[in-house]
Amino acid sequence: MNTQKRKTLKQETLIKGIGLHSGKEVNLRLIPAEANTGLVFIHNVKNKKSIIPVSLNYVVDTSNAVTLGDGFRIVQTVEHLLAALHTRGISDLILEIDSSEIPILDGSSKIFIEVIDSIGTKEFEEEIEPIKIQNPIWVVDGEKYMVILPSETLKVTYHIDFKHPLLKGQSLTIDLNEEILAKEILPARTFGFLRDVEALQARGLALGGSLDNAIVLTEDGYLNQDLRFENECIRHKVLDLIGDLSIIGRPIVGHIIASKAGHALDVSMGKLIMSKITGDEISKFKSKRIHDFLKRKTSLVG
Ligand SMILES: [Zn+2]
């Protein structure tokens, strides 16, 4: 993979949906930005605005999804949106949201990429250099691990081993070029176990969760009748991995081998890559640039 041009969207668009936890309607506005702005959330509720850059420095929670926050406001479940933006190489965009959750839509990245493709992207002269893994790099947490080996292209080998007859000891190796990502990975929906969903809902969480936005597993089968892929769940794990690692802000070239990984391990790997290879790229210059850009877009700065 060679250097690629930075990109934004051709025009502004609005995505509406419900939040997985709140069950309430969310408006997410995608607004074209200048080159080198990066991906930046504007959390805008009742005209109180917070700027939350998509950066590993702003990851505040990884328990069920990736949550970004600035210490005051949060944006939850960013990974499915980020996986779609990453697949189309969108590096610069303002994401204005009137809630603390990204709309869950169908539980995958399918609708996000359809929206992006219907609008089209605008390419800048500025470039992004992919991170080519030259030496093996790994993170381990008990039985969970992730290794990235040098490779000429991006490739993933994923292994899951849930206590469930359909998700025991499953592996997937897949080359991840843009087309395969869009067709084979992004449509894979999130999944959960019925027993966990009931427990979450009893605590007032996952109130927006339904068979319309998740694969639900019973003790020995699926509640849904319409799987998109026979191994849809492991594909979704790959989707999450791609979305999570995209927070680094540069594409990775290497062979990622992940076993029983999840958001926490994905983010640890991202931080390791940043500290070992790229260094911390969130400079004062960059945040000032974002602020100046937002100032010119007066509707965005309170
Ligand atoms: Zn997910």
Side-chain angles (χ1 to χ4, degrees):
M1 195 191 276
N2 297 320
T3 303
Q4 61 185 56
K5 301 275 190 194
R6 298 189 72 92
K7 283 184 196 168
T8 191
L9 272 185
K10 261 193 189 142
Q11 63 187 60
E12 189 174 314
T13 189
L14 177 68
I15 298 176
K16 280 175 181 281
I18 60 163
L20 177 63
H21 289 305
S22 67
K24 292 190 181 140
E25 192 177 89
V26 180
N27 293 289
L28 171 67
R29 198 175 287 282
L30 308 184
I31 304 164
E34 291 176 1
N36 295 318
T37 305
L39 303 175
V40 185
F41 282 102
I42 308 291
H43 183 288
N44 180 358
V45 177
K46 293 182 185 148
N47 261 338
K48 288 205 157 130
K49 292 161 188 149
S50 289
I51 298 173
I52 306 175
V54 176
S55 151
L56 289 167
N57 296 325
Y58 286 79
V59 173
V60 293
D61 188 52
T62 53
S63 42
N64 288 308
V66 173
T67 300
L68 303 175
D70 66 350
F72 300 99
R73 310 285 167 79
I74 56 165
V75 183
Q76 285 177 295
T77 322
V78 295
E79 58 273 10
H80 304 165
L81 168 65
L82 295 183
L85 295 172
H86 177 80
T87 297
R88 290 297 182 235
I90 296 175
S91 52
D92 301 293
L93 197 65
I94 304 292
L95 307 141
E96 191 185 20
I97 188 160
D98 66 353
S99 161
S100 295
E101 285 185 82
I102 303 294
I104 188 69
L105 304 175
D106 70 348
S108 78
S109 304
K110 186 168 179 273
I111 295 169
F112 291 123
I113 197 149
E114 283 171 359
V115 169
I116 294 166
D117 289 350
S118 71
I119 294 170
T121 57
K122 179 185 151 192
E123 212 171 78
F124 296 113
E125 281 308 308
E126 287 83 350
E127 296 180 328
I128 298 185
E129 200 188 332
I131 299 167
K132 201 163 185 323
I133 301 297
Q134 308 283 3
N135 296 298
I137 180 169
W138 62 89
V139 283
V140 181
D141 175 15
E143 287 190 311
K144 308 169 184 177
Y145 65 83
M146 190 184 307
V147 186
I148 311 185
L149 300 175
S151 164
E152 286 307 305
T153 54
L154 174 63
K155 200 195 248 194
V156 169
T157 295
Y158 211 105
H159 179 72
I160 55 173
D161 193 20
F162 289 95
K163 285 193 182 108
H164 190 280
L166 296 175
L167 300 181
K168 251 195 102 46
Q170 225 182 75
S171 292
L172 172 69
T173 294
I174 189 161
D175 276 297
L176 291 180
N177 61 36
E178 186 176 342
E179 199 182 331
I180 293 176
L181 265 172
K183 286 194 179 144
E184 306 279 328
I185 298 297
L186 296 194
R189 291 164 297 172
T190 190
F191 61 96
F193 297 91
L194 188 57
R195 54 174 187 266
D196 297 343
V197 175
E198 286 164 348
L200 283 170
Q201 290 186 336
R203 287 165 48 209
L205 297 168
L207 297 177
S210 75
L211 293 181
D212 293 333
N213 53 36
I215 298 171
V216 180
L217 291 133
T218 59
E219 288 306 312
D220 55 4
Y222 298 109
L223 269 190
N224 315 59
Q225 305 294 331
D226 58 335
L227 287 198
R228 291 176 178 172
F229 305 95
E230 191 207 338
N231 57 355
E232 190 167 348
C233 297
I234 195 168
R235 287 173 192 248
H236 187 81
K237 296 293 287 183
V238 175
L239 184 164
D240 280 340
L241 171 68
I242 295 302
D244 293 349
L245 287 181
S246 77
I247 300 174
I248 295 171
R250 284 168 62 189
I252 293 167
V253 183
H255 182 178
I256 306 171
I257 301 165
S259 184
K260 299 180 163 191
H263 300 298
L265 209 68
D266 299 351
V267 167
S268 299
M269 176 56 93
K271 287 183 173 169
L272 187 64
I273 290 172
M274 278 191 72
S275 65
K276 276 201 160 178
I277 302 173
T278 69
D280 187 350
E281 290 186 332
I282 299 300
S283 61
K284 284 197 175 115
F285 166 75
K286 193 166 174 189
S287 47
K288 184 176 179 307
R289 205 186 157 98
I290 293 165
H291 195 78
D292 290 348
F293 173 76
L294 294 172
K295 249 187 169 165
R296 288 197 297 280
K297 291 238 166 193
T298 44
S299 70
L300 287 174
V301 175

